[in-house]
Amino acid sequence: MGAMTVRQSLSQRLLDHPWQARLCYLVTAVLLWYGLQAVAPQLLGKLQEHGRDLVWRIQASSTPEQRVVLIDIDDASLQAVGPWPWPRTTMADLSQALDRAGVGLKLFDVVFPDARPGDSELATALRAGAGPSVLAQVFALRGETQLRLGSMAGAWSSLGCQLPAVPAQGVIANQEMLAHSAAAAGHITPTLDADGSVRRVAALVCMDGSTYPALALAGLATQASAAPQLQPGRHWYEPAWRITLPGLPGLDIGLDAQGQMRVPFQASRHSLLRISAADLLNGRWPQGLSPEALEGAWVVVGASAFGMADIVPIALGEAVSGSEVHMQLLLGMVDGRIPYAPQGQMMLWSVLSLVALGVLGWLSARRQPWELPVVSVVLACSMLGLQVWAQWAHHLILDGLAPALLMLISGLMLALGEQTRTLLEKQRIYSNLASYVTDPVAEKIALQAPTDAIQARRCELTVLAVDLKNFARYCQVCSPEDAATVLHRFFAGASSIIEAHGGMVEELWGDSLLAVFNGEQPCADHPQAAIAAARAIWQHCSAQLPNTQALGIEPITLGLGLESGQAMIGSFGAARRRVHTVLGPVVNTALQLRSLTAEVSYSVLLGAGMVKCLGAQPDTAHIHIKNLGQFLLPGALHPSNVYTLRYILQPGDPADQRTLAYLQQNMAAFTKPAA
């Protein structure tokens, strides 16, 4: 009972306060959204990054790129020169070959941590080149080791060791002679995402109070006219940090709050120029390529050979040489297109999400639940489209998946809520309709299309007509509220009794009631059921009638007329305004008998048709019939027999027993001799 009351209360509140309900739906959607992010943060992060990878693959240019060239220590080079590590003299020859080709910058994506024969030749080659040489060094950024090998170099003394530099715990650097022979040094430590892919690189690494740049950043800094500068972003649309290289206008590099530098995969792998290290050492050039192709180019000396431990997954492929990451970074820096996430993007998405939720809320008020999922999908796609457009056109990193997911969940919740509200409204409409007509009639009306046709059928039934005698006089001397209370109790009590006995209230008007047994709802023994209902109405409703003696008017009494026979029951009238009623002589007779009760002073009158339906032995089942004679009923051509019940209270009924005891007590007192 309690659970049913709670459900009814919630349903009532849902219908009467729609905006509060919609707000609850939205709050529920936000909680589900937060819960999903808390339960599966890595899954959402992977989906977000894979979406960006797809954009990079689609956007990547296929135009041949020769500004940055990979000198590849590939499998053919290892077969021709020998296994790795190569002698330092061979590396010196490779560096000199690059110098003869006129390269503008050399980045070595290899580390020389220990002293070996030929170090002096390699050191000389690194110093003698026309273009600066930049060596690599590897830092331990995730606590893998605290090992320190070689001599660190290339620190940016102008920055010190500050945010957003990533702290390092160990390092593998170049041996001291080589470290001080190169123009600069940069780290090649990648940042691995949850799926193992490389999409970011720590721009700056902090160790022993000094800041060391990434390899591509160190190479670019050799072209600057002054020391690099690090500044925090001032506006919401700027990155959290920005590295500025004086003398290189337009080459500002944006970093996120963790000091990570996004890799711009703007050139497809097939567009990158690769030259085998063995071919360069032997003076051979790939078909269609001349030595002038490297004039002024920036080269990255790296390895793609199997077993060199420099194969990583990136957005453009699952097994790619790590040197390609540095090449993509160099190209992005030169073009001023290093992607970054605006530091105010959370505020941007919050505003857009609030506006979108407002749109969904407004649509939900239009009562078109089917629009909500469609519009939520459109809003989600728009947010993802904004993310794609920002990455494609402006190299901005926006996280649109989370707000898009919020739109989908919110649209679904609002649609489910409005659908529930619609069902509850239909249920309320049906319940209200069923309070004016019977349940079977209400079901038919609700499920059938409006029509101008007669929808009725002939059936054998019993009609019970009831009214309140002298009620009009009572209404003249009492307040409207008192009259309404009396009428409400009468209608409510009589209707409950009729329904309990298998009948249906067909009409309520004025102070009268018309009920049908075996009409729209089957009732096997409809005459007996109607008589039982009449007895119960007389007993129950008479007890609730007010005492009018103090008002100086005649008492209010009940008049009940019953008749059985053939009648038409159904819906009549135009499609725009119809009525459900019962028609036929049997109805007229019941109404006339009800009116006749005041004249004959019997509260319950039965027609000849009902007595006929009761059969040859109407006195069975405690139904004792008394013939009052023939009466010419209003509107009738011939007089007809009118009957009544010998006992309105059923013999043996507790109420009957109480009445008999009361009469016997009064009779005994009346006949007692005087003293």
Side-chain angles (χ1 to χ4, degrees):
M1 187 68 179
M4 183 179 299
T5 303
V6 171
R7 287 197 299 270
Q8 291 176 349
S9 177
L10 290 176
S11 300
Q12 187 76 15
R13 192 166 190 85
L14 177 64
L15 292 173
D16 296 340
H17 304 281
W19 280 108
Q20 293 183 11
R22 294 182 186 111
L23 182 60
C24 289
Y25 299 148
L26 291 177
V27 171
T28 303
V30 172
L31 293 177
L32 289 175
W33 176 66
Y34 271 117
L36 184 59
Q37 293 189 97
V39 171
Q42 292 187 351
L43 175 61
L44 295 179
K46 288 180 180 179
L47 292 175
Q48 183 77 78
E49 292 297 347
H50 287 318
R52 291 198 187 99
D53 293 347
L54 179 61
V55 176
W56 286 127
R57 288 194 292 270
I58 296 174
Q59 182 192 17
S61 173
S62 58
T63 303
E65 180 60 66
Q66 296 186 5
R67 292 175 298 172
V68 178
V69 182
L70 174 62
I71 305 302
D72 193 4
I73 303 175
D74 53 9
D75 292 322
S77 298
L78 295 181
Q79 186 175 5
V81 178
W84 187 263
W86 287 349
R88 300 291 164 83
T89 54
T90 302
M91 295 303 299
D93 293 339
L94 182 60
S95 177
Q96 291 170 355
L98 292 173
D99 291 334
R100 289 192 297 271
V103 299
L105 178 65
K106 294 177 292 184
L107 280 72
F108 287 86
D109 186 20
V110 291
V111 184
F112 308 100
D114 52 350
R116 293 193 180 187
D119 283 342
S120 58
E121 288 84 348
L122 179 56
T124 301
L126 294 176
R127 287 193 297 267
S133 298
V134 182
L135 294 182
Q137 48 195 5
V138 181
F139 289 96
L141 304 181
R142 296 177 294 276
E144 303 95 332
T145 180
Q146 295 184 357
L147 176 68
R148 296 191 179 203
L149 292 178
S151 177
M152 292 185 293
W156 283 1
S157 56
S158 61
L159 299 184
C161 194
Q162 58 176 318
L163 289 177
V166 180
Q169 298 80 37
V171 63
I172 299 178
N174 298 282
Q175 66 101 348
E176 185 175 2
M177 179 187 299
L178 298 179
H180 293 89
S181 298
H187 81 85
I188 56 174
T189 310
T191 298
L192 299 179
D193 286 344
D195 59 354
S197 297
V198 177
R199 301 181 181 92
R200 297 169 296 158
V201 173
L204 304 173
V205 172
C206 173
M207 193 165 186
D208 296 341
S210 298
T211 297
Y212 300 89
L215 180 65
L217 195 55
L220 188 65
T222 61
Q223 312 298 309
S225 59
Q229 300 175 358
L230 179 64
Q231 299 174 344
R234 294 187 296 271
H235 303 288
W236 70 269
Y237 52 84
E238 293 183 344
W241 297 90
R242 188 184 297 275
I243 296 177
T244 303
L245 300 174
L248 300 176
L251 298 188
D252 292 354
I253 300 162
L255 313 180
D256 61 20
Q258 292 74 38
Q260 298 293 326
M261 185 170 47
R262 281 273 179 177
V263 181
F265 298 101
Q266 64 184 45
S268 66
R269 297 192 62 210
H270 302 292
S271 67
L272 298 177
L273 178 58
R274 297 174 176 82
I275 299 178
S276 175
D279 291 342
L280 188 63
L281 287 170
N282 295 325
R284 297 192 304 265
W285 293 92
Q287 185 176 3
L289 190 67
S290 62
E292 290 76 14
L294 294 181
E295 184 70 32
W298 295 0
V299 299
V300 177
V301 179
S304 65
F306 178 77
M308 292 286 286
D310 194 25
I311 303 300
V312 295
I314 62 174
L316 304 182
E318 294 295 330
V320 178
S321 170
S323 300
E324 292 191 22
V325 174
H326 308 300
M327 295 177 68
Q328 297 281 7
L329 279 171
L330 278 175
L331 289 172
M333 292 176 183
V334 171
D335 294 335
R337 307 188 76 179
I338 294 294
Y340 66 87
Q343 58 181 341
Q345 74 161 311
M346 182 174 293
M347 177 184 65
L348 171 65
W349 287 123
S350 298
V351 171
L352 292 178
S353 297
L354 288 176
V355 173
L357 291 177
V359 171
L360 290 176
W362 174 75
L363 284 176
S364 65
R366 293 183 56 190
R367 312 308 309 281
Q368 297 292 338
W370 64 269
E371 292 181 351
L372 292 170
V374 176
V375 174
S376 64
V377 170
V378 172
L379 290 174
C381 292
S382 299
M383 291 180 173
L384 294 177
L386 176 61
Q387 170 187 317
V388 172
W389 173 78
Q391 178 181 345
W392 191 302
H394 300 283
H395 282 64
L396 295 177
I397 300 300
L398 300 180
D399 296 329
L401 180 60
L405 183 61
L406 176 60
M407 292 304 102
L408 293 177
I409 297 176
S410 300
L412 180 60
M413 288 299 300
L414 284 172
L416 291 176
E418 291 305 316
Q419 186 66 24
T420 302
R421 176 179 168 79
T422 300
L423 293 176
L424 290 175
E425 278 191 347
K426 290 181 179 179
Q427 183 177 357
R428 173 184 279 188
I429 292 173
Y430 176 80
S431 299
N432 288 332
L433 180 61
S435 67
Y436 287 88
V437 296
T438 58
D439 283 341
V441 175
E443 185 176 353
K444 286 184 178 180
I445 294 175
L447 298 179
Q448 290 179 353
T451 178
D452 290 321
I454 296 176
Q455 293 180 321
R457 63 183 179 87
R458 179 188 290 266
C459 61
E460 185 78 21
L461 48 76
T462 296
V463 177
L464 168 63
V466 190
D467 71 348
L468 296 176
K469 304 298 181 183
N470 205 38
F471 183 72
R473 182 72 180 90
Y474 175 75
C475 292
Q476 294 176 2
V477 298
C478 72
S479 66
E481 290 77 9
D482 291 340
T485 300
V486 172
L487 196 61
H488 174 75
R489 288 178 178 175
F490 165 60
F491 283 155
S495 298
S496 299
I497 293 171
I498 290 168
E499 292 174 358
H501 286 80
M504 296 187 302
V505 177
E506 193 64 42
E507 294 181 11
L508 297 170
W509 76 96
D511 57 3
S512 304
L513 175 150
L514 185 69
V516 174
F517 292 80
N518 200 42
E520 296 289 355
Q521 179 174 308
C523 182
D525 299 324
H526 51 93
Q528 292 88 339
I531 290 176
R535 282 174 162 170
I537 290 173
W538 184 87
Q539 177 184 342
H540 176 79
C541 295
S542 295
Q544 293 185 338
L545 295 176
N547 187 351
T548 60
Q549 183 177 2
L551 299 176
I553 62 174
E554 296 180 1
I556 302 175
T557 60
L558 291 176
L560 299 92
L562 298 93
E563 180 63 314
S564 300
Q566 292 279 330
M568 291 287 291
I569 185 169
S571 298
F572 307 87
R576 64 181 181 275
R577 185 67 173 87
R578 292 171 68 79
V579 64
H580 189 278
T581 188
V582 56
L583 300 175
V586 63
V587 180
N588 298 332
T589 301
L591 295 174
Q592 293 162 356
L593 291 172
R594 181 200 64 190
S595 301
L596 188 62
T597 56
E599 299 180 15
V600 299
S601 299
Y602 286 97
S603 298
V604 180
L605 295 180
L606 285 64
M610 167 164 265
V611 174
K612 182 179 179 181
C613 287
L614 288 173
Q617 298 179 346
D619 290 349
T620 59
H622 305 292
I623 300 176
H624 303 281
I625 305 299
K626 177 181 179 180
N627 191 345
L628 298 179
Q630 290 191 338
F631 291 83
L632 183 63
L633 300 177
L637 298 177
H638 305 286
S640 58
N641 290 323
V642 175
Y643 302 85
T644 189
L645 297 174
R646 289 184 180 273
Y647 311 102
I648 296 182
L649 293 177
Q650 182 173 322
D653 185 88
D656 178 61
Q657 297 295 329
R658 289 193 299 270
T659 301
L660 291 175
Y662 174 76
L663 292 175
Q664 290 172 0
Q665 181 181 359
N666 288 345
M667 183 63 69
F670 179 76
T671 58
K672 183 177 181 180

